[in-house]
Amino acid sequence: MGNKISDGFSKIRTKANRKRTSETPSTNVIHSSGISSPSRELPPIPTPTSTKVIVRALYDFAGVSDDDLSFKKGDKLEIEQSNITDQEDWWLARHTRTNATGYIPSNYVVKADESPQSQDWWYNFDRHEAERRLLLPGHKTGTFLIRPAGDNLSYVLSVLDLGTTKGCDPTIKHYRIKTMDNGDFYISTNRQFKDLAALITFYQSKNSTGLCCPLHIPCPRMKPIPIFDELEVKRDAVLLTTKLGAGCFGEVWKGKLHKVLDVAVKQLKKDSMSSEAFLDEARIMHKLYHDRIVRLLGVVLNAEPFLIITELMIHGALLDFLHSESGKKLKFSHLISMNSQIAEGMAFLEVKGYIHRDLRAANILVGEQYCVKIADLGLARSLKEDVYNAHQDAKFPIKWTAPEAAHERKFTTKSDVWSFGVLMYEIITFGKVPYPGMNGSEVLRMIERGERMAMPAHNPIPIPVQYYELMKKCWHQNPDDRPTFESLHDLFDNYTISTEEQYL
């Protein structure tokens, strides 16, 4: 079963399709002699043995409908083995303490056993993501996690080391955990452990030696969003609490969905668009389900004003966040991570055959642990062919728009790559306006002359030449010569990592 938190491609399903009852499987019974006799009754069909699986809650969950089962972190729940599939987002469960039954989100639980994958310190992701999570502000020295090694044949202990010298940069130390022939685990051959839990307990001791520092607590997890059933929700299920902003489309509010879940609500101005156009954005977001894309939770469309309900990204737009005091404290590694996350989300759109057409810092949202996600897919379009031709009256942000899109209204994934290069500029300059001092017409003429935006001068942090060269590759005049998002994600994912084989 394992932990489904980092599952970025699970599908939205409805409770109507859930398996609500355990079906008795057909059983073929063969007489022991192999011969059937009309004068002798066949033995009764054996009743299949029910296999129960106990799972442990990773987070609190407050049910939002009558058939949901609420629980607290650490609670034990019982599930029929036959009901556990990767295709179902909700499982029918029984609470082992209260005996209450109901449906639970499958990404909120793990199997309650002694396997590494069921422990709080286990994370199923790579070295880059381990470093991103551990380097987030607020973690204490010794915060750790265990993950698979790059070869998938061993484990790695990753530890945050803040150092003892004031002002020194935090680092992540990686220790390979090897296995003896008898199954024992070790980091140093002079001490072995029967399991990973015993290894962790030993290295949490202040008297332990061999690591950069004693282990503290497992790296905190981000609570996932439960996958809700119906795309359309009732208006009275949404409570607007705090206005977050406004634009030409309408207003954005912080709110509550079903009285329990904090959400963001986009409220459109009356007569600003038809219900069909409104549904276009909702349908696109509904299809494009990925960890790096803001998740759609529901829509209200029975009457105006129409509402789009999405997960709440607590730090708001990336552009505003980069201007904030917290944003100004971001280190180069955080900025590289943001580039990587955005490229990952765009690579998903690339594979799915969608273009964004408005990729910029204002349309990227920042959540917990500096997780960034792509938002505002209102201009996104499916590419039935390689090129999408926009209508003549369509308006686009010129400073972020590729020349073939600005002049010929031709949009492709490669025109999104051009915009990504400008977004790289916004990120590394902490939200400065691109092409400073120039208007849209001047920018277009400059690009027609073959000139490109210069490397920012007097930047708050030094900009490596490689970073600027990558920006320029995104701005190649020939779209085919621009990198793919897959290659951009790979470059940023490995920007500060040479090889996975380097361990202490």
Side-chain angles (χ1 to χ4, degrees):
M1 180 172 101
N3 186 351
K4 296 181 64 180
I5 293 172
S6 60
D7 242 345
F9 294 87
S10 56
K11 298 177 181 177
I12 295 178
R13 301 176 67 87
T14 66
K15 284 184 184 175
N17 292 329
R18 294 180 189 167
K19 189 173 184 179
R20 293 183 175 271
T21 58
S22 297
E23 299 175 359
T24 303
S26 59
T27 306
N28 295 322
V29 179
I30 302 175
H31 195 281
S32 59
S33 67
I35 302 172
S36 61
S37 171
S39 60
R40 185 178 177 186
E41 290 187 7
L42 292 173
I45 297 174
T47 302
T49 302
S50 176
T51 304
K52 307 287 187 182
V53 175
I54 303 298
V55 297
R56 177 175 58 86
L58 291 168
Y59 318 93
D60 293 350
F61 172 68
V64 298
S65 61
D66 292 340
D67 59 354
D68 289 340
L69 176 60
S70 299
F71 52 80
K72 297 290 187 180
K73 179 180 178 180
D75 284 355
K76 301 289 182 66
L77 309 159
E78 184 182 79
I79 301 172
E80 288 279 359
Q81 176 72 55
S82 60
N83 290 343
I84 299 176
T85 69
D86 288 337
Q87 286 72 43
E88 297 291 346
D89 300 310
W90 294 79
W91 295 335
L92 183 61
R94 181 185 69 85
H95 200 294
T96 59
R97 179 172 50 82
T98 66
N99 279 325
T101 60
Y103 287 94
I104 63 172
S106 59
N107 57 350
Y108 271 51
V109 298
V110 291
K111 198 170 182 178
D113 60 18
E114 300 304 317
S115 66
Q117 292 79 6
S118 296
Q119 310 309 312
D120 288 339
W121 36 257
W122 174 262
Y123 282 82
N124 189 26
F125 47 48
D126 60 18
R127 179 172 181 151
H128 174 82
E129 185 65 10
E131 294 188 345
R132 187 186 78 81
R133 296 283 184 98
L134 289 168
L135 285 170
L136 291 169
H139 294 166
K140 295 183 178 180
T141 194
T143 300
F144 71 97
L145 59 86
I146 291 181
R147 59 184 177 85
D151 57 11
N152 286 319
L153 299 175
S154 57
Y155 301 118
V156 177
L157 172 64
S158 299
V159 186
L160 172 64
D161 182 12
L162 297 179
T164 56
T165 305
K166 187 176 181 179
C168 67
D169 289 334
T171 58
I172 306 300
K173 304 293 176 61
H174 302 277
Y175 302 88
R176 186 185 286 276
I177 301 173
K178 301 177 182 178
T179 309
M180 304 284 288
D181 290 340
N182 64 359
D184 286 355
F185 297 97
Y186 70 95
I187 292 176
S188 174
T189 53
N190 60 7
R191 188 175 292 273
Q192 296 91 40
F193 307 90
K194 63 179 181 179
D195 54 40
L196 293 176
L199 181 148
I200 289 171
T201 299
F202 172 78
Y203 285 112
Q204 284 179 321
S205 168
K206 293 182 178 179
N207 298 321
S208 65
T209 58
L211 302 184
C212 58
C213 60
L215 300 182
H216 180 48
I217 59 171
C219 184
R221 296 182 184 276
M222 285 192 298
K223 188 175 182 178
I225 300 293
I227 299 170
F228 288 96
D229 310 312
E230 300 83 11
L231 176 60
E232 187 172 357
V233 300
K234 295 180 179 179
R235 191 174 296 271
D236 59 10
V238 184
L239 175 66
L240 305 183
T241 57
T242 306
K243 186 176 177 180
L244 300 177
C248 58
F249 60 84
E251 300 173 345
V252 177
W253 288 74
K254 179 180 179 181
K256 287 276 188 183
L257 179 61
H258 301 300
K259 300 180 180 179
V260 297
L261 185 65
D262 289 328
V263 294
V265 183
K266 181 188 289 188
Q267 179 175 270
L268 275 67
K269 290 180 180 177
K270 290 185 178 181
D271 301 321
S272 61
M273 66 170 65
S274 66
S275 58
E276 291 80 10
F278 168 79
L279 277 174
D280 280 345
E281 180 173 357
R283 289 193 183 107
I284 289 170
M285 293 179 69
H286 190 261
K287 290 178 183 178
L288 302 176
Y289 179 77
H290 189 271
D291 277 352
R292 304 306 183 198
I293 295 176
V294 173
R295 187 170 304 173
L296 175 70
L297 300 178
V299 297
V300 176
L301 46 77
N302 60 330
E304 292 191 284
F306 300 138
L307 306 179
I308 289 182
I309 306 152
T310 66
E311 63 178 304
L312 178 67
M313 303 293 283
I314 60 173
H315 293 299
L318 175 58
L319 182 61
D320 297 331
F321 182 70
L322 291 170
H323 292 160
S324 70
E325 289 304 313
S326 296
K328 291 175 182 177
K329 295 177 183 177
L330 292 175
K331 297 183 180 297
F332 181 71
S333 60
H334 296 136
L335 303 180
I336 290 297
S337 173
M338 288 178 168
N339 278 291
S340 176
Q341 293 176 67
I342 297 166
E344 182 183 356
M346 291 303 299
F348 172 76
L349 294 182
E350 186 175 57
V351 169
K352 291 295 183 181
Y354 278 84
I355 51 174
H356 191 285
R357 298 199 297 162
D358 197 11
L359 186 62
R360 50 197 173 105
N363 291 334
I364 304 296
L365 298 182
V366 186
E368 293 182 80
Q369 300 187 359
Y370 299 161
C371 169
V372 294
K373 300 191 181 190
I374 300 164
D376 284 281
L377 296 171
L379 287 178
R381 288 295 181 270
S382 174
L383 286 175
K384 294 183 176 65
E385 300 177 358
D386 290 337
V387 177
Y388 173 80
N389 292 288
H391 61 78
Q392 191 64 34
D393 295 329
K395 296 180 180 180
F396 307 100
I398 291 299
K399 289 187 176 184
W400 286 262
T401 303
E404 70 276 8
H407 292 296
E408 305 171 47
R409 306 283 169 160
K410 292 182 178 179
F411 289 84
T412 66
T413 296
K414 293 305 181 74
S415 58
D416 277 346
V417 171
W418 178 289
S419 302
F420 181 81
V422 183
L423 173 57
M424 286 177 61
Y425 172 93
E426 292 183 279
I427 291 174
I428 202 67
T429 61
F430 293 87
K432 286 185 179 179
V433 177
Y435 305 96
M438 302 177 68
N439 61 35
S441 299
E442 291 169 334
V443 169
L444 287 177
R445 289 194 294 271
M446 170 185 166
I447 291 170
E448 287 172 1
R449 294 193 300 268
E451 300 174 27
R452 296 295 182 263
M453 190 162 39
M455 180 186 288
H458 312 295
N459 204 54
I461 60 174
I463 302 176
V465 174
Q466 311 94 286
Y467 188 96
Y468 176 66
E469 289 300 319
L470 191 55
M471 288 165 56
K472 290 202 297 184
K473 286 182 180 179
C474 295
W475 301 331
H476 202 287
Q477 188 68 28
N478 182 359
D480 292 336
D481 291 331
R482 297 169 199 161
T484 64
F485 279 112
E486 181 182 10
S487 65
L488 286 166
H489 174 234
D490 186 61
L491 283 167
F492 281 114
D493 212 31
N494 296 283
Y495 196 92
T496 57
I497 302 170
S498 53
T499 62
E500 177 70 19
E501 285 69 38
Q502 295 181 355
Y503 299 102
L504 297 174

